[in-house]
Amino acid sequence: MNVHSLSRKTAVGLALVALAATGCSTKASNDTAGGTAKDDASTGTSTGPVELKDGSKVKLALIPGGAHPYFQPWKTTAELDKTDFKLGDATFNETGEWDQGKQNNVINSLAAQGYNAFGIFGVSPTDINSTFEDLKAKGFAVGSLASCPAGDTNSADFCLSTDVEAAAYKAAKATIEAIGGAGTIVHLTGNNVDSNTQRRIAGVKKAVAETNGKVTQLPEITDIDKDLQTAQKAVADLLASKGKEIKGIVTTAYNPAVAAADGVASSKLPIKVVAIDDDAKILAGIKSGGVAATVTQNPVGQAYVGGWLLALLGSKQCTMKTPGVIVDSGSFVVTKTNVDSYDTERKAKTTELQKEFATQLSCS
C-alpha cells in the first residue's frame, strides 16, 4: 500500500506505495505465449478454476515490507490459503521494517525453515528483482504482490498488484464529480521519488486536464505517508493556509486519507474529500457524508489468488506460460450509494482474477 496505500522505506529512504501498487501496465488475459488449449484448466472448483492436486509440500510465506494497515487482511488470508488449498503450512511475516536488507534476511530465514512459495511486497522496487532471482535460482515459486518491480522487468513468476495510475485517475474523477466539475483541488500522496507516486500524480493530472481548465490543482503535497502524525500536520498546515480556496482533496496514500477526513471534519470547511482504501473511519465518513468517496483496493484478492497461484507453481503442477506476467488486482470507487455492497464487486473481481490466471498456466 494499497494501497493502499502503503508506506515503505527503500535503502535510501522512504518510498511510498499508496495504492498498494504497481505502476506497471497490465496485460490482458489473452496475452499469453506458448501452451495449448488442453493445458488450460476449464473445470471450476470451490477454490478456483484450477484444482490444486496436492499442496501438502507447499509452505507459503506472504511477506510485506513491514507493518502497515493495508496488509492486515493478508494475515487472515494466509490462514485461509492454508485451509482451502490444504498446504503444508502458511505464514505471514511483516518484520522487514521497511528495509530491503532486513526483508531479505526474513525471506532467507523462512527459506531455511522450509518455506518454498513466496508472495512478496518488495521494499525497494529498484532492487527487489535481485531477491526474486535468488529465490527462483533455488527453485522456489515467487509472486510479486501489491507492487511490481520498477522498470519493465518482473523477475518473479507473476505480479498481482493495483494499477496505481488507474486507481488515482478514478479517485481524481470522483473528486471532480463531488465538487461539481469546477474549482480547486489538491492531491495528497506519498514519497515523491517513488515511481509509483509519480504514476499516481500522473493519474490525477490526467483527470484534471480532461476538465479543460474548469478544475485547477494546487501543487501536490508529497512525502506524508510515513505515519499518521506526519499526515495530520500536513493536513492542518494545508487547511490553515489554503483551506478557504480548496473545494476538493484527493488522497492516494493511506495516512493522508485518514488525516484529511478527520481534518476537514474538524475544520467544518466545505471541502469534499476522496480517500483511498477502506479504513473504518473512511467508511464511516462516507456513510455520514463527511467523505465523498474512496477508492478501495483488493488486498484479500492479492493474498488469496496469489496464494492459490503460488501453490500451483510451488507444487510443480503448473508453470507460467509467460513468466513475469503483470495483472491488475482491481480498484473500486466507493460512494454512499454502494458503501454497503462494494465488497461484492471486489469478491467478483477476485474470482475473475483466478479465471484470468488460469489462461496463463500450463498444468499437468
Side-chain angles (χ1 to χ4, degrees), residues 122-151:
V123 175
S124 171
T126 57
D127 301 319
I128 193 62
N129 267 334
S130 62
T131 302
F132 294 157
E133 288 160 9
D134 288 345
L135 290 169
K136 292 294 294 173
K138 295 173 183 175
F140 298 141
V142 185
S144 187
L145 298 182
S147 181
C148 295

Side-chain angles (χ1 to χ4, degrees), residues 7-163:
S7 59
R8 58 190 181 181
K9 289 182 182 176
T10 66
V12 295
L14 205 79
L16 179 104
V17 219
L19 293 172
T22 170
C24 306
S25 60
T26 59
K27 296 186 180 182
S29 60
N30 61 357
D31 183 12
T32 59
T36 61
K38 68 180 179 181
D39 291 327
D40 296 328
S42 57
T43 304
T45 71
S46 60
T47 53
V50 180
E51 184 175 7
L52 179 66
K53 295 175 182 177
D54 181 9
S56 63
K57 294 181 181 178
V58 176
K59 294 182 71 174
L60 172 69
L62 298 182
I63 308 172
H68 191 283
Y70 178 88
F71 295 113
Q72 289 311 298
W74 283 23
K75 186 174 185 178
T76 50
T77 307
E79 289 302 311
L80 188 62
D81 288 343
K82 180 179 178 180
T83 301
D84 281 6
F85 309 131
K86 299 179 175 59
L87 304 181
D89 201 0
T91 191
F92 168 81
N93 190 306
E94 59 182 349
T95 61
E97 298 182 13
W98 301 107
D99 178 286
Q100 190 60 64
K102 291 180 180 179
Q103 186 185 42
N104 287 345
N105 290 339
V106 168
I107 292 167
N108 291 335
S109 174
L110 289 170
Q113 295 170 45
Y115 286 88
N116 54 11
F118 295 85
I120 299 170
F121 176 93
V123 175
S124 171
T126 57
D127 301 319
I128 193 62
N129 267 334
S130 62
T131 302
F132 294 157
E133 288 160 9
D134 288 345
L135 290 169
K136 292 294 294 173
K138 295 173 183 175
F140 298 141
V142 185
S144 187
L145 298 182
S147 181
C148 295
D152 298 323
T153 301
N154 170 34
S155 296
D157 289 302
F158 63 91
C159 180
L160 179 59
S161 176
T162 312
D163 181 333

Side-chain angles (χ1 to χ4, degrees), residues 254 258 277-286:
Y254 190 98
V258 175
D277 289 321
D278 44 5
D279 180 89
K281 280 189 177 181
I282 298 299
L283 296 181
I286 289 175

Side-chain angles (χ1 to χ4, degrees), residues 204-253:
V204 172
K205 286 185 179 297
K206 177 184 176 184
V208 171
E210 289 175 353
T211 70
N212 296 314
K214 292 181 181 178
V215 173
T216 56
Q217 184 182 351
L218 295 177
E220 297 87 10
I221 299 177
T222 63
D223 305 305
I224 58 170
D225 194 37
K226 178 181 179 181
D227 52 45
L228 186 56
Q229 291 72 27
T230 300
Q232 287 171 331
K233 182 181 186 307
V235 169
D237 291 347
L238 172 68
L239 295 179
S241 62
K242 302 281 187 180
K244 292 182 179 178
E245 66 182 270
I246 296 170
K247 290 190 70 175
I249 297 175
V250 54
T251 60
T252 59

Side-chain angles (χ1 to χ4, degrees), residues 26-41 157-158 309 319-327 353-363:
T26 59
K27 296 186 180 182
S29 60
N30 61 357
D31 183 12
T32 59
T36 61
K38 68 180 179 181
D39 291 327
D40 296 328
D157 289 302
F158 63 91
L309 196 53
T319 58
M320 300 298 302
K321 291 179 181 178
T322 308
V325 67
I326 295 162
V327 174
L353 288 170
Q354 284 186 289
K355 292 177 181 176
E356 180 170 356
F357 272 119
T359 69
Q360 303 277 3
L361 295 170
S362 293
C363 300

